[in-house]
Amino acid sequence: MITWLAWAGYVLGYAALVAGAMALDDRVRAKAVAEALARYEAAKPDPADAIPDEDLRLGLAAVAVLVQGDGKAESAFWTVLVDMVARGVLKPGTARDGKPTLQRPIVRGRWPAPPTSDTEQKIWSLAYDRNPASANPHVVMHPIAQGLLAEGYLRGRGVYVDFRAPRPVWSWTVAALSLPLAALVVFLFLHWRFNLVAMWTAIAMVVVAWALTMPDDKPAALRLPVRTERGDQVVRQARARHAHLDPAHRTEPYAPEEAAAAYAVFGPDAYHHFASHTPGFSAAVDAGTEERHQNVAAEELLRSRGNFNG
């Protein structure tokens, strides 16, 4: 009984030693992280340095990418689509198979002239034989996101604040002590009745020592958002410029020239407001989205069959 109590005290003492070392190193690391964040905040550009009307120069599709904030282009795609429907370039209708769709309107027996922008032209071309809402937003809008990245409005994912982690001196010290302490536990408890206990305790201490010497990952607090400070300035400009389009304070329908700006800035809430005043639009979008998901699932099935080696 005394031997077991001694063994338990030995193990608990070692555990307290490890926990104390980790707590001390965490305190030093937290201080270093706070200092790195403070240096980063101090070096950020002054919001007063924003270029006037930069949101207008970039356009609504780019603003939608920045408002979404993760570097993806879904919002930009729907911004352009909403704009085309609001202006009558596309209209909700019914496909040959009876499903809701977005299609080119026929005016006096002929289609109107196609849109002029490259992005609208891509979507317009899709509407010839399919629901353009079924298109992959990333494929259509990727150049816009890439342009924002190149101009400094977005940064790559996984970018961190400049940070040099302090050495975990206390953890390394305990790791160095673990080897002689493991040898000591084997010496103290290597009686024939306790040899397995001593062996496994020593192995566990060596594993803990190895874990204490492993490098830490970069702190999540230092991970930078995808949108840069310059992108934040554009978003602030756009929100101030289009504050009157906030669907939370809007009852009347959006004018054709307002719908895209509302969606770019206010996202799904503006979509629902626009859809509630545009018969057939929501059904066409839902049908296109479902078709895209089915196509993705079919492609994944074909890919998995191609990889089957049974």
Side-chain angles (χ1 to χ4, degrees), residues 120-294:
E120 289 191 1
Q121 183 62 55
K122 290 178 184 178
I123 297 175
W124 169 267
S125 300
L126 293 172
Y128 179 76
D129 58 357
R130 58 185 282 200
N131 185 349
S134 66
N136 185 327
H138 178 74
V139 172
V140 178
M141 309 303 296
H142 180 66
I144 293 179
Q146 283 297 102
L148 292 170
L149 182 65
E151 292 186 53
Y153 297 96
L154 297 173
R155 60 171 63 90
R157 297 183 182 88
V159 179
Y160 290 79
V161 172
D162 227 0
F163 174 71
R164 176 174 291 182
R167 294 179 179 180
V169 176
W170 294 101
S171 295
W172 287 358
T173 302
V174 172
L177 290 174
S178 295
L179 298 181
L181 288 175
L184 180 62
V185 77
V186 171
F187 174 77
L188 292 176
F189 300 100
L190 196 57
H191 188 275
W192 67 271
R193 293 178 56 190
F194 307 105
N195 56 352
L196 286 178
V197 174
M199 181 183 67
W200 285 111
T201 302
I203 291 174
M205 293 173 69
V206 171
V207 171
V208 170
W210 171 77
L212 289 173
T213 60
M214 294 296 291
D216 292 333
D217 294 331
K218 290 184 178 180
L222 295 176
R223 185 170 184 171
L224 293 173
V226 175
R227 191 171 65 213
T228 65
E229 290 72 29
R230 190 178 179 189
D232 287 338
Q233 292 173 347
V234 173
V235 171
R236 286 192 290 269
Q237 288 178 348
R239 285 176 174 161
R241 188 182 307 279
H242 303 293
H244 63 288
L245 301 179
D246 187 348
H249 310 292
R250 181 96 176 198
T251 56
E252 67 274 16
Y254 291 126
E257 66 276 7
E258 293 178 332
Y263 184 85
V265 176
F266 298 104
D269 291 337
Y271 167 85
H272 293 306
H273 184 81
F274 175 75
S276 67
H277 294 92
T278 310
F281 177 70
S282 182
V285 169
D286 291 343
T289 303
E290 181 181 358
E291 181 181 343
R292 182 173 73 252
H293 291 164
Q294 290 174 349

Side-chain angles (χ1 to χ4, degrees), residues 93-103 129-131 287 291 294:
T94 304
R96 295 178 181 178
D97 59 2
K99 293 182 179 179
T101 187
L102 295 175
Q103 59 191 14
D129 58 357
R130 58 185 282 200
N131 185 349
E291 181 181 343
Q294 290 174 349

Side-chain angles (χ1 to χ4, degrees), residues 16-56:
L17 191 64
V18 171
M22 293 178 64
L24 290 172
D25 284 333
D26 285 344
R27 183 179 299 179
V28 173
R29 187 178 177 84
K31 182 180 179 181
V33 168
E35 290 174 350
L37 286 173
R39 287 193 301 270
Y40 172 75
E41 291 294 330
K44 287 172 65 173
D46 189 341
D49 295 338
I51 300 173
D53 298 333
E54 195 168 12
D55 59 319
L56 295 180

Side-chain angles (χ1 to χ4, degrees), residues 71-95:
K72 297 181 180 179
E74 285 86 351
S75 290
F77 176 78
W78 297 115
T79 295
V80 176
L81 204 65
V82 165
D83 186 43
M84 295 177 73
V85 173
R87 293 187 289 111
V89 179
L90 294 174
K91 73 170 185 177
T94 304

